[in-house]
Amino acid sequence: MTTETFASVALGLHVVGLVMTFGLRSWAHRRTTGDSGFRGLSGRPGSAPWWGGVLFAGALALTTVGLVLAVTGTTPPIDVPAGLGWTGLVAAVAGFALVLLAQSGMGRSWRIGVDHAERTELVTGGLFALARNPFFTAMGLALGGLVLMVLTASTFAGLVCLVVAVQVQVRVVEEPYLLATHAEAYARYAARVGRFIPGIGRLHATHLRKTEGR
């Protein structure tokens, strides 16, 4: 497969992935629950939670721009060995598939963003039994695969933005919210299940002791 073909395939995967992940998923969630699940940015402008949301959106935008520029020939991608391109294709397809599986596993608890006044069911089964944030892990795998397929400054910057955004969103926004909302139940879950991959990033026992002391 040529560099140009990889770019076209990557752009197609990216567009389909975004439509399925955010468009059709929101539509299906609204049809099932009467709510789109979209909560928007958290925190005041300039705060860490706000930057997490902005960087996440920026990651998707930078990836899209990079792929479009590569397909149109405006910014040709860096030549990489064909083996890396095929590896990226497999990773991107697997990543987007896992994104959809993680979203489906959340059921009625699926949200884009966090509403601190809202209480949703704690999901610990399926992919969430392997990692606490499988959606973000899968998104990283998908965008990482696209970078291997189409390596440009823009696609690489998109992946960097995603990694930073996910770290901020999970550590600063979601984990404190889940600990405050589900207390001991989340602390026990987080003490045995890794943050993004199995066994890595489990919460320290002090978090559990804090909830038990309430």
Side-chain angles (χ1 to χ4, degrees):
M1 192 181 295
T2 65
T3 300
E4 293 76 12
T5 304
F6 270 125
S8 297
V9 172
L11 178 59
L13 274 175
H14 183 57
V15 171
V16 171
L18 291 183
V19 170
M20 294 289 292
T21 299
F22 299 103
L24 291 182
R25 177 59 190 174
S26 295
W27 173 82
H29 195 74
R30 178 181 290 277
R31 186 176 182 184
T32 301
T33 66
D35 179 3
S36 68
F38 182 78
R39 298 295 179 267
L41 298 177
S42 299
R44 58 179 175 77
S47 66
W50 182 86
W51 274 113
V54 169
L55 287 171
F56 187 86
L60 300 181
L62 284 168
T63 301
T64 303
V65 169
L67 294 176
V68 169
L69 292 178
V71 168
T72 59
T74 305
T75 306
I78 298 172
D79 286 331
V80 297
L84 281 181
W86 284 106
T87 299
L89 176 58
V90 172
V93 171
F96 282 123
L98 289 172
V99 163
L100 298 177
L101 186 59
Q103 289 182 318
S104 177
M106 292 187 72
R108 299 177 69 89
S109 295
W110 179 75
R111 297 289 186 274
I112 299 175
V114 172
D115 180 353
H116 290 276
E118 186 176 28
R119 180 185 177 91
T120 57
E121 179 184 356
L122 179 63
V123 180
T124 60
L127 292 179
F128 291 84
L130 302 176
R132 303 198 304 276
N133 302 280
F135 171 83
F136 289 132
T137 302
M139 282 296 298
L141 179 63
L143 263 64
L146 294 178
V147 169
L148 291 180
M149 294 176 70
V150 184
L151 179 56
T152 69
S154 184
T155 57
F156 184 76
L159 180 60
V160 172
C161 281
L162 178 71
V163 171
V164 175
V166 165
Q167 291 292 335
V168 172
Q169 180 69 18
V170 169
R171 295 172 183 269
V172 179
V173 180
E174 297 192 1
E175 286 183 355
Y177 163 74
L178 290 168
L179 279 168
T181 302
H182 297 286
E184 183 179 343
Y186 182 76
R188 291 187 182 279
Y189 165 62
R192 69 175 187 272
V193 178
R195 182 176 281 117
F196 299 112
I197 59 176
I200 305 298
R202 291 177 293 183
L203 288 190
H204 193 272
T206 53
H207 289 285
L208 180 58
R209 288 196 293 270
K210 288 179 181 178
T211 58
E212 288 177 335
R214 292 179 181 177

